[in-house]
Amino acid sequence: MSNSMKENQVTSESIFWNRRQFINNFSLSSAALALGASAFSNNASAYSANTGFTTAEPLSSEYVVTHHNNFYEFSTSKSKPAKMAKDFNPGNDWKVKISGEIEKPGDYTLEDILGFTQDQERIYRLRCVEAWSMVIPWQGFQLSELIKKVQPNSKAKYIEFITLESRSTFPGQSGGSLGFSSLPWPYKEGLRMDEAMNPLTFIATGVYGKRLPGQNGAPLRLIIPWKYGFKSIKSIVSIRFLDSQPINTWNRSGPKEYGFYANVNPKVDHPRWSQARERRITDESFFGVKKIDTQMFNGYGDQVAQMYKGMDLVRNF
Ligand code: MTE
C-alpha cells in the first residue's frame, strides 16, 4: 500500500462530486448533490486499483454510517443525531479560525480551504473506543496540505481542534435538560505535529459521494484511522498550532479511561472493557454481527508505528 497518490489515481469523478459543482450547488438539497452515490458497491476492493488508501474489507452501508453515530452535542443516543441534524446544513461560508504558531493566521471559509486542497477519496476503518467498527468511504483532503498552506513556525509542536459551540444548534451542549452534562464543551481534540502531518491523516468533507451529513460532522471533520474514533473531531471551527500538548475533551472528562494518544491497541484494555476484539458493523443487523480481532494501530502500523518508537504505549494510552 502506497501513500503517494497522484491526481489521476483518484477514483473517477463520476462517483463523487466535482469540486466546482460541489461549491456551486451548495444551496441545493442533498438529494440534488447525491452525485452517483449508487456507484458505490458494498465491496471496497473495487477501489483498490484507484487509490493507495483503501481496504479489501466490505464497506459499512451508507445507512449505518449515517444512522449509527456518536455526536454528543446532539445526543448520547446513536440513532438520534441523524434525526436531530436535519436542519444542520453548514454552508461554504462556514469559518475555521486558524491561529497560533503559524505565518498565515486567519478566518478561513470552507470555500477558501477547498480552494487550496485536493479532493481525494479514502476508504478507512473507523474503530470506536466502545469496541465497534466500520469501513467508510470518505471524501476530503489530506490534513498536511492545509498545514503547509498556513506555514507553521518552529514552535508549532501540536495542533488543537475545536468543534462549534452553539446551544441553538446542539441541544446536547445544554447538558442538564438532556440528562447528560458531563462533557466540557466545546469538544476539543489534539494531535502531535508529526501525527497531523502523517499522510493518513485526513479531513473529511463528504462520505459515500455526498456532502458530509450533519450527524457525521459537517462540514469538515478529522479522520485519524489508527486512533480511536473519539479523536475524529466533528464540525471543526478552530485549528490552533501550539508549542505544548493540548488537553482533549475525553481525556479531561475521564483521564484514567481516555488518553491523549488513543492509538488503537488490542493489548491495552479500557478500564471497563477489553479492546482485544471489535464488533464490525456493516449493515442494519447492528448487534447481530460477529466480533473480529482488533489490530494494533487499527491495521495501519506500517504507516504509523515509527512515530511511536521508544514510547511506552501503555503509559501513553
Ligand atoms: N466529535 C464531536 N464534536 N462530538 C462527538 O461526540 N464523537 C466521536 C467522534 N467525533 C464525537 C466527535 C466518537 S466517540 C466517534 S466514534 C466518532 O466521532 C463517530 O463518528 P461517526 O458518527 O461519523 O461514525
Side-chain angles (χ1 to χ4, degrees), residues 69-73 126 128 163 187 216 221 229-230 232 234:
N69 300 103
N70 273 337
F71 203 162
Y72 279 23
E73 284 86 339
L126 176 81
C128 180
T163 296
Y187 197 100
N216 292 92
R221 61 91 61 88
F230 68 83
S232 299
K234 297 178 169 180

Side-chain angles (χ1 to χ4, degrees), residues 243-296:
D243 61 0
S244 58
Q245 187 177 304
I247 293 181
N248 50 316
T249 294
W250 278 103
N251 179 240
R252 192 170 149 198
S253 85
K256 296 205 174 89
E257 306 198 344
Y258 310 99
F260 173 78
Y261 282 94
N263 292 316
V264 174
N265 190 338
K267 296 203 186 93
V268 177
D269 288 336
H270 185 281
R272 290 181 280 132
W273 60 84
S274 165
Q275 294 292 26
R277 289 164 75 70
E278 66 201 48
R279 192 163 47 84
R280 173 61 56 83
I281 302 173
T282 51
D283 60 32
E284 284 111 279
S285 53
F286 294 114
F287 292 93
V289 289
K290 251 174 70 184
K291 288 196 170 185
I292 57 173
D293 287 343
T294 287
Q295 303 177 69
M296 186 65 204

